Amino acid sequence: MVQIIEKRQLTPITSLYRVDAPLIAKAARAGQFVIVRVREGGERIPLTITEYDRETGLLTIVVQEVGATTRRLGELGVGDHILDMVGPLGEAPEIPSGGHIVGVGGGFGSAALLCLMKELRERGEKTTVIIGAREKSLLILADELAEVTDNLEICTDDGSAGFKGFVTERLQQMIDGSPPGYPDFVISIGPMPMMRAVEKTTAAARVPCTASLDPLMVDGTGMCGGCRVTVGGEVKFACVDGPFFDAHTVDFDEAVARSKMYVKEEQKAADCQRSAHEEEAA
Amino acid sequence: MPVKRVDKTPMPVREPGQRAHDFEEVNAGYCFAHAMFEAERCLRCQDPVCVDGCPVRVPIAEFMHAVAANDLPKAAEILRHANPLAAICGRVCPQESQCEMNCHMTKRFGPVAIGHLERYVSDWEMAQPETDEVKEPWREEKIAIIGSGPSGLVCAGELARLGYHVTVYEALHAPGGVLRYGIPEFRLPNKILDWEIKQLERMGVEFVNNVIIGKTVTMDQLFKEYGFAAVFIGTGAGLPKFMGIPGESLNGVYSANEFLTRINLMQAFEFPRSETPLKVGKRVAVIGSGNTAMDAVRSALRLGAEHAMVVYRRSEKEMTARIEEYEHAIEEGVEMHWLTNPVEVLGEDGWVTGLKCVKMELGEPDESGRARPIPIEGSEFVFPVDNVVLSIGTRPNPLLVKSTPGLKTHSWGGLLVDERQVETSVKRVYAGGDAVTGAATVILAAGAGKRAAEAIHHDIQTEAA
C-alpha cells in the first residue's frame, strides 16, 4: 500500500500525485515507470515517473483519467492509499551529451519529460522543451518545465497560448533554423499519433529521435510479452528493453494496432464501473 | 491380502460437460473409503524404490503405513516434514514419471496412487482447525529469498524451520510465482496456495510483495543495507519464447504466460467485474504440448472457445504434458493436431484470422533423443483461428543478472551453480529451480529449494564455528 501525500488537479481529467514510496524513489531514474493496481480485481497499469525525491522518499506521478483504473485513481485523495505499486521499471534512456536536446511532449507526456529535463539540466545540457495541447487549459506542468529547460515552447491547436499549431510544426521551424535553433537530438513522449508525427519530422531532417512507448502491460518484468514492439525488425519488450526506443526504427503501424486491442473491453469495464457507482449512489 | 491385486483407484472427477465451462477444480479428491483402500494396495516393499523417484524424498512407505492405519495426523506430519508444498504437489506432480513409475505395482495393476493420497492427506490437514500462533525465529541470521515460486517457498519453509529470519520478496502483487500466475484454478485452486503460504507465515516467514530485486532493491543492498546473511534466488524461468514466425505480433496472439497470467493472477474470467480483459474467440490454437499448453487450451475452452486445439510439431508420443492433464483435455473436447508445425500467423486489419501450418513426419532421433520432425513438402494448410497461444517454453529472466555484477549464467540464461548445485558465482548467493535448470517441474524446484536451505544452513553454521 502506498499513501497519497499530495494531490494537485492539473486539468479537469489530469491529476498529479505525490506518494510515499521510499524504495522506488531511492532507486528511480528519469524515464522509468511504475505499475499500479488500485483495488482488488483491478488492472495493473504502467505510469511514468514524473519526479522522485530520494531524501523524502516521495514519488510523483501524473495520471490522466482515460479508463476504469485511472478514473478510480482520480477518485483517490490525500491520505488515501494505492493498493499496489511496483518499480522502478524499464531502463533510463541513453541521451547523448552535447548539442541541443529537444524534448517534445504531447498531452500528459509533459509529465514524463519533467524528470528527464531535470536530469539533463543537472548534466549541464542545452535543452528546449516543446509541449502542446488542444488548448491552453489542457497544458500541464508548463511552469515546472520552464524551470528546468533553457527554452520552453508552448503550442496550442487553437492558439490560446503560445504558438498556434502542432508541436511538429514548431519543431519543423526549429529544424529550418528558427530560434532556439536546430535540434541535435529529440526526445518524444506523448500520444502515439504525435510520436509518429515527430518521428516523420525528424526522419526527414535526419535528426536522431527517441520515443517513449507505453504499450499494454501486465507484469512489467518481461514475463508476459504483451508489451512487445517491433524495433528494427526485432521483437522487443517495452517493459524491460524500453520504454525508450529509436523512433526511426519502431514499427508504429503495429504499435498503434496493438494499442487498440482492448478498446471494446475498456469501454465495457468503464460502463461496469459507472453502473456500480450508480448502484452505490442509489 | 487380496486387496493388493486390484487396479489403481481412479480419482473422482467432475463431469467433463460440466467442468469444461468453469474454473472450479476438476479432481474431486478421494473419499475416506478410497483412501483406505488405496493405501492398502501398497506392498510395503522392503526397499521402497518409490522414494528414489521423489525429488524431495518423501518417506512414502511410512506415509502409506500411517494412511492405512488411518493415522492422518502422523501421515500429514511425515508429508509436511519432507515437502512443505504437499497440498500443491499432490495436485500437480507428474507422479507417473517419478514415484509411481518406480512402484512395483505399476506393471501389473497400476501404481499405488501416491499422488492422490498425498492430496487426500493434505486436504484433511487443511480442514483441521488451526491457531493463529506464529513461530518466532530463534537464530540471529536473516535470509532473503528472491521469488515466491515453489523453490523459494520450500527454501523459505526449511530455513524458517531451522530458526532463521526469512523474508521472501515477490515482484508481483501476490505470492506464489508460477503457482499463482501459471497454473489455473481448475488444477490448483488459489485457496490451496493461500493456505500453503499461510502455513509458512505461521512458521515466521515474512512475505514482501511488489519488490523486484535488481530494480527496487539491488542484491548489494540486500547484504549491505538490509544485513542478510545469505540470499536464495528462485526467480524461475518466466520469460516466454516466441517462434519468430511472421504474424506473431498480431492482435489475438498471446504467449501462454500472458494468456494464463491474465486468467489466473488477474482473474480475467470474471471480466468486467475484474478489470483485466482477455480476448478469447471461437477458435483457439495453442502451440506446444507441455502442461502449460494443456492449461492454456483448457482455459480457452472454459472461456467460451468452441474449438480449442493443440498444435504440436511432434507426435503424441513426444508430448511432455502429464498424462492426467492430457486425458482431461481430451475428455473436455480439446482437439489434438500432432505432427503439425505452424509457419505463419495470418491476419486481417491487425487481427489474427488463421494459422498456417505444415504437416510433419518423424525422422531420425535428434540431439534431444526424440525423433526429429521433418516438414512434408507441399503439405501447407490453414486453420481458421481467432487466437494463437504460444506455449513453446520459457527461459530464465535476465533482470536480476543484469543488475548483479559477478552473477554468472550459461549462454541460455540459466544461473551457474557450484558442484553442490546450490551456490552461484557470488558468495552467499544461492539459487535453485527453473532459474538454474530452465523450465522444469514444481517438485524439482521444491527439491532444489530444500537442498539450498540445507546448504545455506551448513555454510552459515560452518562459518560461525
Side-chain angles (χ1 to χ4, degrees):
Chain A
M1 297 264 267
V2 168
Q3 195 177 25
I4 298 170
I5 305 298
E6 190 190 327
K7 180 180 180 180
R8 220 169 88 205
Q9 196 87 27
L10 301 179
T11 77
I13 56 157
T14 314
S15 300
L16 175 148
Y17 299 83
R18 243 172 222 128
V19 301
D20 184 28
L23 291 186
I24 304 174
K26 193 173 175 189
R29 287 198 56 202
Q32 290 187 300
F33 62 96
V34 293
I35 282 186
V36 302
R37 195 174 69 124
V38 181
R39 60 158 199 132
E40 284 301 335
E43 243 190 308
R44 292 168 65 96
I45 60 158
L47 295 170
T48 306
I49 294 169
T50 297
E51 273 181 310
Y52 55 80
D53 188 329
R54 303 204 200 288
E55 310 263 291
T56 60
L58 295 183
L59 191 80
T60 308
I61 50 171
V62 171
V63 183
Q64 190 172 24
E65 293 175 36
V66 287
T69 305
T70 45
R71 257 195 294 274
R72 237 178 258 284
L73 254 169
E75 290 164 9
L76 300 182
V78 172
D80 289 339
H81 289 85
I82 296 171
L83 182 61
D84 296 296
M85 180 180 283
V86 65
L89 298 163
E91 296 290 333
E94 280 174 31
I95 299 163
S97 273
H100 180 204
I101 302 167
V102 176
V104 183
F108 85 126
S110 309
L113 271 180
L114 184 59
C115 210
L116 277 167
M117 289 323 212
K118 208 168 158 181
E119 204 173 88
L120 292 174
R121 159 65 52 98
E122 280 159 17
R123 248 167 60 178
E125 307 289 347
K126 178 190 172 200
T127 67
T128 293
V129 169
I130 309 175
I131 56 170
R134 223 168 48 239
E135 46 132 0
K136 191 180 171 186
S137 71
L138 298 177
L139 286 166
I140 59 165
L141 300 172
D143 295 343
E144 287 82 350
L145 281 163
E147 273 176 41
V148 295
T149 182
D150 301 320
N151 316 285
L152 177 69
E153 300 289 325
I154 288 173
C155 309
T156 49
D157 297 2
D158 65 355
S160 50
F163 173 83
K164 182 175 187 297
F166 296 133
V167 287
T168 40
E169 294 174 71
R170 187 68 192 91
L171 182 64
Q172 185 62 54
Q173 289 182 340
M174 286 165 55
I175 290 170
D176 295 338
S178 123
Y182 191 84
D184 294 301
F185 191 86
V186 170
I187 305 163
S188 161
I189 309 178
M192 207 66 99
M194 184 214 89
M195 291 199 285
R196 196 175 199 162
V198 171
E199 189 280 318
K200 280 210 178 96
T201 308
T202 49
R206 296 178 184 269
V207 174
C209 175
T210 185
S212 171
L213 301 185
D214 62 339
L216 298 162
M217 276 181 200
V218 184
D219 60 291
T221 61
M223 200 187 83
C224 80
C227 65
R228 59 194 186 276
V229 286
T230 305
V231 182
E234 256 183 86
V235 174
K236 299 275 182 189
F237 292 177
C239 67
V240 287
D241 302 320
F244 290 87
F245 294 104
D246 173 6
H248 302 311
T249 58
V250 168
D251 183 341
F252 276 103
D253 283 338
E254 182 188 282
V256 169
R258 287 188 65 78
S259 72
K260 292 181 178 156
M261 183 148 171
Y262 297 106
V263 169
K264 276 187 211 150
E265 284 72 18
E266 278 158 17
Q267 190 54 46
K268 213 166 155 188
D271 292 346
C272 172
Q273 185 194 24
R274 202 168 303 122
S275 62
H277 268 240
E278 279 159 14
E279 262 170 50
E280 248 171 59
Chain B
M1 284 201 292
V3 67
K4 296 185 193 301
R5 312 263 176 233
V6 293
D7 291 348
K8 178 178 178 177
T9 312
M11 168 61 83
V13 292
R14 293 167 62 225
E15 285 305 313
Q18 182 201 17
R19 73 184 192 228
H21 302 290
D22 64 39
F23 279 84
E24 301 292 315
E25 198 170 6
V26 168
N27 287 350
Y30 276 175
C31 66
F32 174 74
H34 287 140
M36 293 306 124
F37 188 83
E38 188 63 22
E40 267 306 321
R41 289 183 65 233
C42 175
L43 295 170
R44 314 284 189 266
C45 305
Q46 287 295 317
D47 176 23
V49 283
C50 47
V51 182
D52 298 334
C54 176
V56 294
R57 299 197 66 81
V58 171
I60 297 165
E62 288 147 53
F63 168 75
M64 285 296 164
H65 267 290
V67 179
N70 194 22
D71 187 350
L72 298 186
K74 187 177 172 193
E77 174 58 33
I78 293 169
L79 265 188
R80 192 139 295 276
H81 197 265
N83 182 7
L85 300 181
I88 293 170
C89 291
R91 288 172 162 82
V92 304
C93 256
Q95 289 93 3
E96 72 263 23
S97 56
Q98 297 181 156
C99 53
E100 292 182 17
M101 187 174 79
N102 290 0
C103 178
H104 285 308
M105 293 281 281
T106 299
K107 272 198 186 140
R108 289 184 59 194
F109 304 101
V112 175
I114 301 167
H116 296 346
L117 288 169
E118 181 179 27
R119 172 184 165 160
Y120 174 78
V121 171
S122 304
D123 286 358
W124 170 85
E125 193 188 9
M126 270 188 280
Q128 302 313 301
E130 53 187 51
T131 62
D132 282 334
E133 195 187 322
V134 174
K135 257 175 59 184
E136 290 292 326
W138 66 87
R139 293 182 199 273
E140 272 183 21
E141 293 88 353
K142 303 196 303 178
I143 321 281
I145 310 282
I146 309 176
S148 62
S151 71
L153 292 180
V154 169
C155 189
E158 291 296 312
L159 288 166
R161 198 203 312 278
L162 290 163
Y164 294 95
H165 289 261
V166 182
T167 306
V168 180
Y169 292 102
E170 167 57 45
L172 293 171
H173 59 258
V178 71
L179 304 170
R180 178 80 60 184
Y181 72 75
I183 304 178
E185 293 219 50
F186 58 81
R187 210 146 75 77
L188 176 64
N190 276 342
K191 64 172 198 274
I192 306 286
L193 176 59
D194 292 339
W195 184 85
E196 298 272 32
I197 286 164
K198 197 166 162 223
Q199 302 319 300
L200 292 171
E201 285 176 332
R202 285 177 55 201
M203 291 169 74
V205 175
E206 189 194 352
F207 286 87
V208 180
N209 297 331
N210 293 321
V211 169
I212 304 172
I213 305 300
K215 282 283 184 190
T216 319
V217 175
T218 62
M219 181 73 82
D220 200 44
Q221 279 177 290
L222 287 181
F223 286 104
K224 289 185 183 147
E225 285 178 34
Y226 292 68
F228 285 106
V231 173
F232 173 77
I233 304 173
T235 47
L239 226 62
K241 285 184 193 162
F242 286 84
M243 290 184 78
I245 59 175
E248 276 182 328
S249 288
L250 285 164
N251 286 347
V253 180
Y254 290 101
S255 71
N257 261 11
E258 180 180 3
F259 194 75
L260 291 169
T261 299
R262 283 178 180 269
I263 296 168
N264 302 330
L265 176 72
M266 305 309 293
Q267 308 273 294
F269 55 88
E270 294 198 345
F271 183 84
R273 203 157 62 78
S274 145
E275 286 163 358
T276 303
L278 180 72
K279 286 270 197 190
V280 178
K282 295 291 170 212
R283 301 176 61 94
V284 179
V286 176
I287 303 169
S289 78
N291 287 319
T292 309
M294 296 302 156
D295 287 344
V297 77
R298 295 169 70 198
S299 294
L301 268 185
R302 284 157 172 78
L303 288 164
E306 285 162 11
H307 293 275
M309 316 172 238
V310 162
V311 177
Y312 184 47
R313 65 195 177 113
R314 298 176 192 261
S315 75
E316 186 179 0
K317 221 176 80 204
E318 289 85 20
M319 172 193 76
T320 55
R322 283 175 87 210
I323 196 76
E324 184 184 83
E325 308 317 328
Y326 173 53
E327 285 170 0
H328 284 172
I330 300 271
E331 286 166 16
E332 289 166 9
V334 169
E335 301 159 25
M336 301 287 169
H337 297 280
W338 308 113
L339 293 167
T340 306
N341 196 32
V343 290
E344 183 178 357
V345 185
L346 306 174
E348 246 176 63
D349 302 328
W351 287 87
V352 174
T353 56
L355 183 64
K356 187 174 173 187
C357 298
V358 60
K359 282 279 174 200
M360 310 292 275
E361 59 189 354
L362 292 179
E364 295 297 306
D366 62 13
E367 61 277 10
S368 75
R370 301 180 294 180
R372 182 190 301 278
I374 304 161
I376 301 172
E377 220 172 293
S379 67
E380 286 87 357
F381 68 102
V382 174
F383 282 121
V385 293
D386 305 304
N387 289 106
V388 173
V389 180
L390 292 133
S391 180
I392 54 166
T394 55
R395 52 198 174 85
N397 196 323
L399 221 148
L400 178 63
V401 173
K402 271 199 328 204
S403 70
T404 309
L407 195 56
K408 293 195 181 124
T409 65
H410 295 278
S411 57
W412 52 269
L415 288 166
L416 276 167
V417 286
D418 64 358
E419 64 285 354
R420 296 179 298 170
Q421 293 299 303
V422 287
E423 198 170 12
T424 67
S425 51
V426 178
K427 198 168 155 59
R428 287 286 180 270
V429 176
Y430 302 76
D434 287 3
V436 171
T437 58
T441 60
V442 169
I443 191 67
L444 281 172
K450 197 171 164 174
R451 236 180 13 248
E454 285 158 8
I456 290 170
H457 178 53
H458 172 267
D459 292 356
I460 287 179
Q461 295 313 315
T462 313
E463 196 156 284

